[in-house]
Amino acid sequence: MGLQEAIRAVSDTDMERFKVLRKRRGTIPFNKQAWVIRLTLLGLVGLTIYGFITFDYKDIQMLQAISQTALTIKTMFFQPSLHHFTFIEALQQITITLGLAFLTTLFGAVIALFLGLLAASNLSNPKVSLVIKGVVAFIRAVPTVLWVLIFAIAAGLGSVAAVIGMTFHSISYLVKAYSESFEELDKGTIEALKASGANWWQIVFQAVIPSSVNYLISWTFMRFEINFAVAVAMGAAAGAGGIGYDMFMASSFYYDVREIGAITYFILAFAILIEIIASRIKKKLRS
């Protein structure tokens, strides 16, 4: 076989492989994990359908129930009105909720900043970092409302227990976010600063925090938005006051769906306002 024939044979082989690959393109090879996920999802769908079929509806007329629910939602959101307190009082109550969210976020951010520095593996001892990350992971695993109820045993139901419980959970959330932001810093920069004689505090304030300030602000504002939503729930569950308590009274005590709709619009308007303010502050800091 000559040189040209050998080259031609190799090119023909490559063309055949290319055709086979083109035919197989778009097909997914067998993956055990993918099949397990698919089978799990199919099992959940099957259990859901079985649950709907075998559920004891106690002679509930589904069409009538759906129509009544739609009527309640229509009344709630298309005919909102305040009956048991005025517009000014509603603003005062939602200000209390905002103050609760701001206070817990402020306390949580200050404490989490120092713990986050100790939890960052590139700034702290590995054992100290592991212990702090383990503790905050345990705290995050417990819902905020349970922490509030735990502290309510000592402080009693009210704003004090809500502030302590929400701050406790905010610290655990922000420690994880802050420490991961600090760990993004290049180790070469830290080593260079150490070689130039900079101590730990100089490294933190001259390199770590300036390079991570945008992430810190973003995570803090995100936690503030979460705390605002939690503060609404704590107003009802823990007696912390604010607009959440008024919603609880309107829904459970008065059963005034129109007032529930008005309060919902109040909360939604302030949530949008918080998001707009947070976005503008982030843009100014980045510029």
Side-chain angles (χ1 to χ4, degrees):
M1 181 183 293
L3 180 60
Q4 293 182 351
E5 293 178 353
I7 294 172
R8 197 173 298 158
V10 171
S11 60
D12 291 341
T13 304
D14 291 339
M15 285 299 295
E16 291 296 328
R17 289 178 180 175
F18 179 72
K19 290 178 180 178
V20 172
L21 289 173
R22 285 193 64 182
K23 289 180 180 179
R24 291 182 178 179
R25 189 177 62 181
T27 60
I28 301 174
F30 177 78
N31 189 341
K32 185 177 180 179
Q33 294 179 350
W35 276 103
V36 170
I37 293 172
R38 291 176 183 176
L39 290 174
T40 303
L41 292 175
L42 287 174
L44 291 174
V45 170
L47 289 173
T48 303
I49 295 172
Y50 176 78
F52 275 111
I53 294 173
T54 59
F55 186 76
D56 185 9
Y57 292 97
K58 295 186 182 298
D59 299 328
I60 296 176
Q61 300 295 326
M62 290 301 296
L63 294 177
Q64 183 180 359
I66 292 171
S67 64
Q68 291 296 323
T69 303
L71 180 61
T72 301
I73 293 173
K74 177 184 176 182
T75 305
M76 184 183 299
F77 292 109
F78 290 95
Q79 300 175 7
S81 61
L82 296 173
H83 296 140
H84 300 92
F85 55 94
T86 63
F87 181 81
I88 301 299
E89 291 174 342
L91 288 177
Q92 291 175 350
Q93 293 300 318
I94 205 163
T95 303
I96 294 172
T97 302
L98 283 171
L100 182 61
F102 177 78
L103 198 64
T104 53
T105 305
L106 180 63
F107 290 161
V110 172
I111 299 172
L113 180 62
F114 292 100
L115 291 178
L117 292 170
L118 296 175
S121 58
N122 57 345
L123 298 172
S124 178
N125 185 285
K127 293 182 180 179
V128 175
S129 174
L130 185 62
V131 170
I132 294 175
K133 288 182 177 179
V135 171
V136 297
F138 169 74
I139 295 172
R140 282 197 315 274
V142 180
T144 308
V145 63
L146 290 183
W147 285 119
V148 173
L149 294 176
I150 289 170
F151 287 110
I153 297 173
L157 286 174
S159 57
V160 176
V163 169
I164 297 173
M166 290 172 62
T167 302
F168 205 61
H169 202 274
S170 297
I171 291 170
S172 66
Y173 180 92
L174 292 175
V175 165
K176 176 178 172 59
Y178 290 173
S179 62
E180 290 180 353
S181 300
F182 297 148
E183 289 173 350
E184 293 294 326
L185 183 65
D186 187 14
K187 291 184 178 179
T189 304
I190 298 176
E191 294 298 329
L193 289 171
K194 287 181 179 179
S196 64
N199 58 32
W200 189 82
W201 289 108
Q202 289 173 333
I203 293 172
V204 167
F205 287 106
Q206 294 181 11
V208 177
I209 292 180
S211 64
S212 307
V213 65
N214 288 332
Y215 295 103
L216 300 181
I217 293 170
S218 298
W219 283 113
T220 304
F221 271 108
M222 182 177 292
R223 185 63 205 187
F224 176 66
E225 294 171 5
I226 294 171
N227 282 344
F228 175 71
V230 174
V232 174
M234 291 302 100
I243 199 70
Y245 181 75
D246 291 324
M247 176 173 278
F248 169 74
M249 294 297 292
S251 60
S252 300
F253 191 75
Y254 305 120
Y255 194 67
D256 190 341
V257 294
R258 291 184 174 88
E259 194 164 78
I260 295 171
I263 294 171
T264 303
Y265 283 128
F266 266 101
I267 296 171
L268 180 61
F270 273 84
I272 294 172
L273 183 62
I274 291 170
E275 182 64 29
I276 293 172
I277 294 172
S279 300
R280 291 186 177 180
I281 291 174
K282 291 175 188 176
K283 287 181 181 178
K284 286 183 179 181
L285 291 172
R286 288 174 183 173
S287 61

